[in-house]
Amino acid sequence: MDDNKAMRSFRESPWRYSQFVVLGLVVAGLVKWLSPFGWLPSLAAGAVVGVGYLVFEKKRGVI
C-alpha cells in the first residue's frame, strides 16, 4: 500500500453512489414489512426513493 497517496474523500470515491442503493434497500425492506405489498412493489418504492434522493443531491450540487 502506498502511504504517500492522499486519501480521497467520499465524494471522490467510486462508493459515493452506494448510499442511494442502501437507502433504497432499507426503504424496500420497510415497505415490505409494514405493508401488504409483495417484494416487487416494495423494491419499486425503494428504487423511487433512492433515485429521488440521488436527483435531490445532484440538484443541490453535492454530487
Side-chain angles (χ1 to χ4, degrees):
M1 186 168 203
D2 188 11
D3 290 333
N4 296 330
K5 189 176 180 183
M7 271 186 107
R8 292 187 290 179
S9 70
F10 185 70
R11 259 187 227 171
E12 299 164 348
S13 165
W15 290 99
R16 68 183 173 268
Y17 295 109
S18 64
Q19 63 186 333
F20 306 108
V21 175
V22 170
L23 175 67
L25 290 173
V26 167
V27 168
L30 285 172
V31 168
K32 173 68 175 128
W33 182 48
L34 295 173
S35 72
F37 297 130
W39 275 112
L40 194 57
S42 298
L43 288 173
V48 167
V49 170
V51 170
Y53 184 52
L54 172 68
V55 169
F56 172 73
E57 290 293 324
K58 281 191 177 248
K59 190 172 283 198
R60 236 177 41 147
V62 175
I63 292 182

